[in-house]
Amino acid sequence: MKTNPLIIEPKAVRVLLIGLVWVFLSLMLAVPLVAVFWYALEQGWSVYLAALRDSEALHAVKMTLLIAAIVVPVNALLGIALAWLLTRFQFRGKQLLTTLLDLPFSVSPVVAGLMFVLMFGAHSAFGSWLEAHGIQIIFALPGMVLATLFVTFPFVARELIPLMQAQGDSEEQAALILGANVWQMFRRVTLPNIKWALLYGVILTNARAMGEFGAVSMVSGHIRGQTNTLPLQVEILYNEYQFTAAFALSSLLALLALLTLLIQQLLVRRKAFGKEHHD
């Protein structure tokens, strides 16, 4: 373990701090995670698998994956466009746009969901017009996608903006001078330079999209077999005292989270290996 030469602390202090960190992480992360799998499998594999094979559970899984499949590509494209706009151009209102980018971080997801209900609900002017034309936003998939888009919107852009600011645009300008068009410049210069940050942002977006509860809960209506995602289905099962089924679906969410962390770590190692090989 490397230490800062300007900070020489007693070995006992270092051991104490490391021990406190491990105890905290164990109590706050490891123990609850193990408990989820323990209660999910408490009554055996047959009960666990039966809970996962339930028609409502399967539909919740389908809805969760469908929303993530829509939200992640859209947020990736919007994140790239917004990062490029904020790092490559100067315009009036740029600081305001940068501030608004952090709005989903500061607004409660429940409030965000309520905003969409007020905008697209049947009692609003716009919502009633949509309903008259046979378009349903609230209590349907479009509303759930919009709510998830809102809460996950900053992740890709916030990963890309610091990197693109640090890199500057000298390589892109050189490509344009040498005759490349904008698409060629982006594909051969910009995208290779931002690919790792883009992948990190996509992974974070996917994890949040699959685990989002508050905003989706407000706009979904909790319609069984129609508008429930995995987190919403877990809440319903827990409130109905179906604890084994609730923990079974919770373990599925936990596995998805662990898989996300594993992919992220693999990308970090691959990036580090590529940098060492390049050097």
Side-chain angles (χ1 to χ4, degrees):
M1 179 179 178
K2 295 182 178 180
T3 59
N4 190 330
L6 298 179
I7 303 177
I8 304 176
E9 74 284 354
K11 183 178 179 180
V13 174
R14 186 169 57 203
V15 172
L16 177 62
L17 291 175
I18 294 174
L20 288 174
V21 170
W22 277 110
V23 170
F24 176 81
L25 291 177
S26 299
L27 292 176
M28 298 301 296
L29 298 178
V31 172
L33 188 61
V34 171
V36 167
F37 287 97
W38 174 269
Y39 287 114
L41 297 169
E42 188 178 20
Q43 298 185 22
W45 280 99
S46 59
V47 177
Y48 177 80
L49 294 176
L52 296 181
R53 291 170 182 165
D54 180 75
S55 59
E56 291 184 2
L58 291 175
H59 189 273
V61 173
K62 178 183 176 181
M63 288 295 293
T64 301
L65 296 178
L66 178 59
I67 291 173
I70 296 172
V71 167
V72 171
V74 172
N75 264 346
L77 293 175
L78 291 177
I80 292 172
L82 189 58
W84 199 344
L85 174 66
L86 292 176
T87 59
R88 299 295 184 260
F89 299 96
Q90 296 294 331
F91 55 92
R92 183 174 298 178
K94 179 178 177 179
Q95 185 59 46
L96 176 61
L97 182 59
T98 304
T99 303
L100 291 176
L101 179 60
D102 292 328
L103 187 63
F105 288 142
S106 57
V107 173
S108 168
V110 175
V111 175
L114 183 60
M115 290 190 304
F116 285 107
V117 172
L118 294 176
M119 288 175 59
F120 300 108
H123 299 291
S124 66
F126 190 36
S128 59
W129 181 86
L130 289 173
E131 187 175 358
H133 289 78
I135 302 174
Q136 185 174 0
I137 303 296
I138 303 302
F139 307 148
L141 178 62
M144 300 167 71
V145 170
L146 286 174
T148 309
L149 276 172
F150 178 85
V151 298
T152 59
F153 179 70
F155 286 104
V156 173
R158 275 302 172 199
E159 288 290 329
L160 295 179
I161 289 174
L163 177 64
M164 295 179 69
Q165 286 176 333
Q167 289 177 343
D169 62 350
S170 57
E171 294 185 16
E172 297 168 350
Q173 293 294 336
L176 293 174
I177 292 173
L178 292 173
N181 58 39
V182 174
W183 169 242
Q184 290 173 329
M185 176 201 69
F186 175 78
R187 183 167 57 90
R188 297 182 180 181
V189 178
T190 306
L191 190 58
N193 287 338
I194 66 171
K195 63 179 181 179
W196 294 113
L198 177 60
L199 286 172
Y200 296 155
V202 165
I203 290 172
L204 292 174
T205 300
N206 183 67
R208 179 62 186 273
M210 290 191 295
E212 176 54 34
F213 176 83
V216 174
S217 177
M218 294 298 296
V219 300
S220 70
H222 294 267
I223 305 174
R224 287 180 177 270
Q226 295 185 36
T227 62
N228 278 335
T229 59
L230 270 175
L232 302 184
Q233 186 68 15
V234 169
E235 183 200 29
I236 289 175
L237 293 173
Y238 191 85
N239 290 337
E240 294 178 348
Y241 303 102
Q242 300 182 47
F243 298 124
T244 301
F247 280 112
L249 293 186
S250 297
S251 70
L252 188 57
L253 282 171
L255 285 174
L256 291 173
L258 292 174
L259 180 60
T260 299
L261 290 175
L262 177 62
I263 294 174
Q264 186 179 27
Q265 288 303 310
L266 290 175
L267 291 175
V268 169
R269 292 189 178 185
R270 184 174 178 182
K271 179 183 178 182
F273 176 79
K275 185 180 294 185
E276 292 176 1
H277 183 72
H278 179 74
D279 293 340

